[in-house]
């Protein structure tokens, strides 16, 4: 992907047009799906896009039984959480990611890198190219 930020902005623009919300009041949520290969996607997600080919450094995302109980996000099955990396597996491949455009909530804190939600159930971290 040549310009990842333009891709994320396009996701927000399409969702803003569909929902009638202003673009400056949109943000992107990142959800890790249970799909290990992009071919497993059976349909397009609502208000977002799938991304594959990302790696994680210094940790890993569990798969299968180890991922725990799956949950649904706008009809997309997601599961898992960060766990310690396995020995000699420095940069494991992440499952398919669901980037979902959402409306900014009043309680979110605006920062120079995005919105902080201060929710103990959300791990707030950046994604680097």
């Amino acid at each position: 992907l040549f310009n990842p930020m333009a891709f994320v902005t396009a996701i927000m623009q399409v969702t803003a047009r569909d929902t009638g919300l202003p673009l400056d009041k949109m943000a992107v949520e990142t959800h890790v799906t249970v799909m290990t290969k992009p071919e497993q996607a059976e349909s397009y997600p609502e208000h977002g896009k799938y991304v594959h080919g990302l790696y994680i450094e210094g940790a890993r995302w569990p798969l299968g039984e180890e991922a725990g109980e799956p949950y649904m996000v706008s009809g997309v099955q997601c599961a898992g959480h960060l766990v310690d990396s396995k020995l000699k597996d420095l940069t494991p491949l992440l499952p398919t990611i669901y980037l979902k455009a959402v409306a900014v909530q009043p309680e979110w804190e605006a920062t120079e890198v995005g919105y902080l939600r201060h929710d103990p159930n959300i791990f707030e971290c950046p994604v680097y190219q």
Side-chain angles (χ1 to χ4, degrees), residues 66-89:
E66 188 183 13
E69 192 66 32
Y71 58 93
M72 300 298 281
V73 176
S74 299
V76 178
Q77 193 173 30
C78 302
H81 53 279
L82 283 176
V83 295
D84 290 332
S85 60
K86 292 182 178 177
L87 292 176
K88 299 183 182 181
D89 192 6

Side-chain angles (χ1 to χ4, degrees), residues 32-99:
V32 182
T33 72
V34 297
M35 298 179 281
T36 55
K37 297 179 180 148
E39 296 82 29
Q40 293 174 306
E42 296 175 354
S43 63
Y44 294 106
E46 180 184 12
H47 303 307
K49 293 292 178 195
Y50 293 126
V51 175
H52 67 93
L54 293 178
Y55 293 85
I56 188 165
E57 186 175 347
R60 66 183 173 90
W61 202 266
L63 303 172
E65 298 268 329
E66 188 183 13
E69 192 66 32
Y71 58 93
M72 300 298 281
V73 176
S74 299
V76 178
Q77 193 173 30
C78 302
H81 53 279
L82 283 176
V83 295
D84 290 332
S85 60
K86 292 182 178 177
L87 292 176
K88 299 183 182 181
D89 192 6
L90 301 178
T91 54
L93 183 65
L94 281 169
T96 302
I97 306 291
Y98 172 31
L99 295 179

